[in-house]
Amino acid sequence: MTWQLSLSNMQISSKLSQILERSVNSLFQRNNNSKEGAGGTAKNPVIALLGNPNTGKTTVFNALCGTRQKTGNFPGVTVEKKTGFLALSPGETEYSSSISGETSSPNAALVEVIDLPGLYSLKAGSPDEDVAADVAMGRVDGTNRPDAIVFILDATNLKRNLYLFSQVAEMKFPMVVALTMTDLLASRKIELDLPALEEALGVPVLPIVGRNQDQVSQLKKAIGEMLHTKRHPEIEIGFPPQLETIVDRLSKVLNLYIPVSHFEVREMLFFKDYLLLEHFFSFPDAMAAIESERRAVKDLGYDSTLIAFRRYRWADGKMSACEKRTEGESNRISQKIDAFLTHRFFGLIAFVGIMYLVFQSIYTYASPLMDLIEYLFDSLGTLAGSHLQSTPILRSLVVDGLISGVGSVVVFVPQIAVLFLFIAILEDSGYLARAAFLMDRLLSWSGLNGRAFIPMLSSFACAIPGVMATRIMPDPRARLTTTLIAPLMSCSARLPVYILFIGAFIEPYYGAGWAAFSLFAMHALGIIISLPIAFFINRGILRAPALPFLLEIPPYRLPQLFNVFYRVYEASRSFLLKAGSVIFALSIVIWFLSYFPHPPSVEKQVRQEYEEVENVYAPADPADIQRRINAAYLEQSVLGRAGKAISPLFQPLGFDWRISIGILSAFPAREVIVSTLGIIFSSGDESGESLKDHLRNAKHPDGSRLYTPLTAITLMVFFALSSQCMSTLAIVRKELNSWKWPLFLFTYMTLLAYGLALLVNTVGSHI
Amino acid sequence: MTVADMKPGQRARILGYAEPEESMNRLGELGLITGQEISFLRIAPLGDPLEVKVMHYHLSIRKKEAGNIRCELIEQ
């Protein structure tokens, strides 16, 4: 199966080679995505990868670009923009040879590759899916319109894949097909005639299995030639001629406003909910034209099932020309595995086991690495501190602000890496779809679907990887809702708070049994509240119509090592760079607020107090004195004063100014409240023994108890539900590509936490 | 009958949608069109969703959507 193109007939015009030369040269100056739109000069050629989900598109992208890839965002949507560069070395294709012949550079031509999201159809159901068609038509700011498409076709699933192919072909892009899963043809008893397929589709078809270098090289050659010849497929799908006349007519009108392709116009004639229509809402003439043509279509008796029907008829015709399947059960191994893994009883047990492993890994096994990171940063801090003794402000800034800030970001990486390792393996192997299949019933009533399970489960360890895990949910509304309820899951950072207060107020008075129950109840609270809230967010706020939950269950496959590790690397890197910067900036702000003002008079006063006392009693422990000094400084800092200022707000909950300061200080990280309270009460060890005593024994001026078990419960309820983790807000901002969602998250959770805590305190004090 | 009425192991041919809503269009795009053969594989342990085989691939759909797809059984 060879495909030859006689290049001797093609001549590259000198103008074209000038452009190519400029683009090759400009590559060496910047490796960034060109901000120019389609048609800009001095840009790299751009190709886009398109294909169904589960076809091995990522493998092809990785094989073409290697590590020369990065992720960014499309404006206004949450789906990530994955771009990379592919190098066409001289001699690999005529295309690049001609370039390097013109320039003196021996280097390769670089082609920009955009990996568009896997889709079943370019007619989108949501803005996130819309992006692929928008990019293809050059409607996206900041992204170049592709010059050509590499279509990923799954050899074992031709007919369905051809649906999307037929849509792309209508857009008249130069195309090359990368045929994947060809290694599975034999075991599935499928005979595929490749030359016939090339003939039927009218484009070159290159098989690609994994990272086979020969095949990759062949594909690159074909890409080079495609960019050179710009040959596009000519297909005739067989829509009724009268319909096509209407489509042509309407297309001419609509293209005056924005670029739209024929297939999009055709869909507009049948589907009122087609998102693309929104682009025309502000043009009454366009809308009128659309309406009138819609009526015309209806009058002709065509209904909305026509398009799908005709496309599949076309696909069927193409397929039967090339494919022959032997009857009998294909996919034996997958079926056998599924008989077990989706079994009524064993399937659920296996599921619980696997989920337990994932959870334990994030919760427990990642902690040694996290402890190590904390230890390293603490040591670094001590080291830096010892060199900066002479400049206290700088010392505090560097140690408590900078080093501590960076440390607080890096410490999340182990959990993220572990979670994404599991996600990559589960997803690439195909198990993730089974997991969603098993769990869907539990989640569907709230408007979520089975895929939300793993993000929610992960959030019990920590919401940061949990929120990142929502990337496995293609439905953007479900993804958004899941992101907004994930922080309600009681994460591991809340645990020190629970342990402190249960240990101080529940266990001594009510015993270990009630203490254990309280711990359980706090975790359960998150789950119990989250699904009704999801329901409310979906119906009340997003007003999302219930989308049908359609999940393809792919055959089981061995995950590709490169893909898995690259995914882990990419998740960690994107967290560090994008969320990390926000978290770091906020750490500095918090440091600033808890340090300044810092008048030396405070220290003087404390020492004076101790001296006066020392004259009567034994000399105090210098460590004790230092703690009192720290406590005093915290109280007079901006943060401390803010805490005191808002404490009237917390009074109905039974909290005093000390707890208010604690709550404010917990914003960078929830568990900080424990150390803050430790400082305020001047307790020596944070592990809590003396802090517990201090909390229990704290008294009002009149001698009555400051904190009661009820206070403890109220505070824990508040903590369970409040949004006190700026890292979570930072990651939500990053994943959802907007500040309005973290703002919403913070607001609703704070109100929820306050409301429920108030309820608990009010009801409790009347019992 | 509809796809929701099928039992594991049965094969049927799709006749059309009971309620041709626009949301059913997604199913059409996935290949669940009139005349297409569909095999019923299993129900999830918790009762929903269902797994079917269509055009050589496996798809999970909820009972609600399945109840909207009219079909007739193919005798084995």
Side-chain angles (χ1 to χ4, degrees), chain A residues 403-518:
Chain A
I403 295 181
S404 172
V406 173
S408 67
V409 171
V410 177
V411 79
F412 286 118
V413 173
Q415 285 180 319
I416 292 174
V418 168
L419 176 62
F420 273 81
L421 179 67
F422 275 107
I423 286 183
I425 294 177
L426 291 176
E427 184 158 33
D428 287 359
S429 65
Y431 185 75
L432 208 65
R434 275 81 180 171
F437 178 68
L438 292 173
M439 286 294 112
D440 187 58
R441 178 78 195 275
L442 288 181
L443 297 167
S444 56
W445 67 272
S446 65
L448 298 176
N449 61 60
R451 288 192 225 250
F453 186 82
I454 287 190
M456 285 172 68
L457 178 71
S458 316
S459 301
F460 266 104
C462 175
I464 281 99
V467 163
M468 288 178 76
T470 58
R471 290 178 190 180
I472 61 178
M473 305 176 69
D475 175 5
R477 274 167 286 210
R479 181 179 173 203
L480 172 63
T481 307
T482 309
T483 302
L484 292 176
I485 64 169
L488 287 172
M489 307 297 131
S490 258
C491 68
S492 52
R494 289 173 171 99
L495 204 55
V497 181
Y498 297 156
I499 291 180
L500 173 67
F501 281 93
I502 291 178
F505 290 97
I506 310 283
E507 190 163 359
Y509 302 126
Y510 301 103
W514 278 109
F517 175 76
S518 313

Side-chain angles (χ1 to χ4, degrees), chain A residues 121 273 312 440-441 551, chain B residues 22 29 42 46 58 60 62:
Chain A
S121 159
D273 66 352
Y312 272 116
D440 187 58
R441 178 78 195 275
L551 172 71
Chain B
E22 283 190 22
E29 288 185 316
R42 57 172 56 86
L46 299 178
H58 294 209
S60 166
R62 287 183 179 154

Side-chain angles (χ1 to χ4, degrees), chain A residues 173-185:
Chain A
F173 277 105
M175 256 213 274
V176 149
V177 165
L179 189 68
T180 56
M181 317 287 174
T182 48
D183 52 331
L184 300 175
L185 288 172

Side-chain angles (χ1 to χ4, degrees), chain A residues 346-400:
Chain A
F346 296 112
L348 283 177
I349 296 203
F351 175 79
V352 170
I354 295 175
M355 290 302 124
Y356 181 76
L357 177 65
V358 173
F359 181 74
Q360 272 294 75
S361 302
I362 314 173
Y363 201 84
T364 310
Y365 306 150
S367 20
L369 204 51
M370 291 169 77
D371 290 339
L372 177 66
I373 291 177
E374 273 183 36
Y375 173 76
L376 285 174
F377 275 91
D378 280 343
S379 315
L380 187 62
T382 316
L383 182 66
S386 61
H387 286 282
L388 291 169
Q389 295 277 24
S390 46
T391 45
I393 297 184
L394 190 61
R395 178 166 178 260
S396 184
L397 172 63
V398 169
V399 175
D400 301 322

Side-chain angles (χ1 to χ4, degrees), chain A residues 41 165 212 686:
Chain A
T41 54
F165 179 90
N212 179 317
E686 288 172 14

Side-chain angles (χ1 to χ4, degrees), chain A residues 120-121 123-125 129 156-157 159-160 163 167 267 270-273 304-305 308-309 312 323 325 329-331 335 338-339 342-344 348 437-442 444 448-449 547-553, chain B residues 11 14 16-17 20-37 39 41-66 69:
Chain A
Y120 296 108
S121 159
K123 172 190 172 283
E129 296 162 292
T156 60
N157 226 325
K159 195 163 159 188
R160 192 198 71 213
Y163 187 92
Q167 290 179 328
E267 301 276 352
F270 291 97
F271 300 106
K272 286 210 185 61
D273 66 352
S304 59
T305 56
F309 193 80
Y312 272 116
E323 182 184 276
R325 286 186 184 242
E329 200 50 70
S330 53
N331 253 346
Q335 304 277 49
D338 266 340
T342 54
H343 185 269
R344 267 227 132 99
L348 283 177
F437 178 68
L438 292 173
M439 286 294 112
D440 187 58
R441 178 78 195 275
L442 288 181
S444 56
L448 298 176
N449 61 60
L547 275 183
F549 177 55
L550 301 167
L551 172 71
E552 183 189 350
I553 300 190
Chain B
R11 274 164 55 212
I14 297 180
Y17 300 138
E21 310 164 8
E22 283 190 22
S23 63
M24 299 301 283
N25 171 247
R26 297 206 122 201
L27 289 168
E29 288 185 316
L30 285 169
L32 286 105
I33 54 176
T34 307
Q36 174 63 44
E37 203 181 293
S39 306
L41 291 174
R42 57 172 56 86
I43 309 180
L46 299 178
D48 205 10
L50 320 167
E51 187 181 348
V52 297
K53 184 169 168 180
V54 141
M55 272 191 319
H56 310 298
Y57 77 96
H58 294 209
L59 182 67
S60 166
I61 56 179
R62 287 183 179 154
K63 266 201 191 125
K64 180 164 175 249
E65 276 78 47
I69 307 173

